[in-house]
Amino acid sequence: MLKSTLLKATQAGAKVLKEYFNGTFTISYKDTINNLVTEADKKAEAAIIAAIHEDYPDHHILSEEVGELKQGSSIKWIIDPIDGTVNFAHGIPLCCVSIGVEQDGEMILGAVYNPIMNELFFAQKGFGATLNDKLIHVSQKKNVANACLVTGFPYEWENSANNPMTVLERFVKLGLPVRRLGSAAIDLCWVACGRFDGFWEHSLNAWDSAAGYLIVQEAGGKVTDFKGNAYSPYQKQILATNGHIHTDLLKEINSIQ
């Protein structure tokens, strides 16, 4: 039942995303000029929450726009109605609905759907990960020198030694191809299906990574913080890889003082 509700809610949000994509909608701003929220974000979020509450009116909700709707439930739905809002607002088809389901503090289900590209990623803990119902696996590259990486940047960061730009510079100077798609959920899913070999980011929120990190793990990958500790979506830093190059990437990230 949880799985069917998750997929129903994901489709409900994606329907709104697709209807508004390349259309006309209002845009407002959060803490910085490029941290956007659109009319479509809010309507997609409302559609997702309505679909969940139809089946589970007493479940806990954590969503990017409305915040936390606490209930006395062991189940929490962690929602990003449109991950990649800047892309969405500019008509760039790298945007998606991302929903993770957590039970007693453990992520058990995740779905990420980009309706523009018609790619639905799904994972259930212990049952593997799929793309459009076909099993997916991380890449098998074992050498960082051959890796293709992806990253993202926060809208603001402190000018510390180990900041997003210095880490990016480190990898670029090693001659590695590094991409920046603008959607952490898609970044994670593309690691899961082997398009990328690794993804790192310095500052994420729970709704950015809750679904995607489970999808990476269930596809055979590894996800930690920058110290190599087990990942939690409630912490900011993330490194997700195919597992083979994880230790080497951690060393490079932490070599900058």
Side-chain angles (χ1 to χ4, degrees), residues 130-196:
T130 59
L131 166 55
N132 294 343
D133 295 323
K134 294 182 179 179
L135 280 173
I136 56 174
H137 303 281
V138 294
S139 72
Q140 294 303 307
K141 289 182 184 174
K142 297 178 172 60
N143 191 336
V144 170
N146 299 323
C148 184
L149 306 179
V150 64
T151 190
F153 303 105
Y155 296 109
E156 296 179 302
W157 65 76
E158 293 182 6
N159 192 25
S160 58
N162 192 330
N163 67 45
M165 289 305 296
T166 55
V167 175
L168 173 64
E169 182 182 20
R170 176 80 175 180
F171 287 123
V172 170
K173 285 183 174 179
L174 289 173
L176 300 180
V178 181
R179 304 293 179 253
R180 201 278 201 225
L181 302 185
S183 166
I186 291 176
D187 293 338
L188 286 162
C189 289
W190 286 20
V191 170
C193 69
R195 294 172 185 168
F196 292 122

Side-chain angles (χ1 to χ4, degrees), residues 176-232:
L176 300 180
V178 181
R179 304 293 179 253
R180 201 278 201 225
L181 302 185
S183 166
I186 291 176
D187 293 338
L188 286 162
C189 289
W190 286 20
V191 170
C193 69
R195 294 172 185 168
F196 292 122
D197 306 300
F199 162 68
W200 83 94
E201 192 156 344
H202 282 71
S203 184
L204 292 180
N205 293 300
W207 45 80
D208 298 313
S209 63
Y213 99 88
L214 177 65
I215 292 168
V216 172
Q217 288 182 331
E218 288 298 316
K222 185 171 184 178
V223 187
T224 70
D225 64 13
F226 287 175
K227 295 181 179 179
N229 299 318
Y231 182 71
S232 162

